[in-house]
Amino acid sequence: MCDSKKASHPSPRAGVFFARIGPAAAICGGYTFPMLWIKSFHIVFVASWFAGLFYLPRIFVNLAMVPPGSLAERERLLLMARKLLRFTTLLAVPAVGLGLWLWIGYGIGWGPGNGWMHAKLAVVVLVLIYHHACARQLRRFEAHAPTRGHVWYRWFNEAPVLMLLAAVVLVVVKPF
């Protein structure tokens, strides 16, 4: 079953790569074989990006709980957070890029009856803001600036769960 109202009406902006390439390519109401590959990789990169966004604030919880004299523990957690943020950022780039390719290149979410896409794009902007906020929090920890308590970071850690839930519901249910 097709999951896009726009899937059966390919974008007129579509180029050679986006065009149908024979009967084997038209898998489901206008979906092309390359489009399904792009969609698959988009889902994998989004899931991986969110995995990093779920774990990074957990490191912040541990950093907020490090006793003042435990420099080795603090440095180890900072190293983990830096590496995870770098890797998570590298995953975010193709996730967003492939999503833009699906939206602009294939026209998913364009036209009337696709208000869900506007809401999903707003969620994506919130996720990018959250990602940036994680980077700012890490810089504060590195600079020994006053940070928040571990309880605040535990709540901060719940935000990506809610954003992922909203994005998935919008894409699957398409409530408007």
Side-chain angles (χ1 to χ4, degrees):
M1 181 159 95
C2 296
D3 64 351
S4 175
K5 296 175 184 176
K6 191 69 176 168
S8 59
H9 300 81
S11 170
R13 297 176 303 282
V16 175
F17 188 71
F18 304 114
R20 290 185 190 193
I21 5 182
I27 308 260
C28 178
Y31 277 9
T32 64
F33 189 68
M35 178 186 180
L36 293 176
W37 277 100
I38 293 165
K39 191 181 222 183
S40 298
F41 283 115
H42 172 64
I43 292 167
V44 168
F45 280 108
V46 167
S48 302
W49 178 24
F50 269 92
L53 291 179
F54 292 155
Y55 190 59
L56 187 58
R58 295 302 306 168
I59 296 174
F60 295 161
V61 169
N62 292 321
L63 275 165
M65 294 174 59
V66 170
S70 299
L71 293 177
E73 180 182 3
R74 186 177 194 289
E75 289 304 314
R76 184 178 60 252
L77 288 169
L78 283 173
L79 177 66
M80 289 172 56
R82 277 192 295 272
K83 288 183 175 189
L84 182 58
L85 179 64
R86 186 178 313 122
F87 188 63
T88 302
T89 302
L90 289 174
L91 294 167
V93 172
V96 171
L98 292 167
L100 287 172
W101 192 350
L102 290 167
W103 182 48
I104 296 169
Y106 284 103
I108 291 179
W110 288 82
N114 285 300
W116 63 270
M117 180 57 90
H118 299 288
K120 182 191 174 234
L121 291 172
V123 171
V124 171
V125 168
L126 289 175
V127 174
L128 289 168
I129 291 169
Y130 183 84
H131 188 117
H132 178 71
C134 285
R136 287 184 57 218
Q137 288 298 319
L138 178 56
R139 284 194 299 272
R140 290 181 59 82
F141 276 113
E142 290 174 328
H144 298 278
T147 57
R148 301 174 189 270
H150 69 92
V151 174
W152 188 89
Y153 288 111
R154 290 177 196 278
W155 284 104
F156 182 69
N157 189 42
E158 301 305 320
V161 174
L162 298 174
M163 290 183 281
L164 180 62
L165 175 67
V168 169
V169 168
L170 287 166
V171 170
V172 173
V173 178
K174 294 180 180 41
F176 44 88

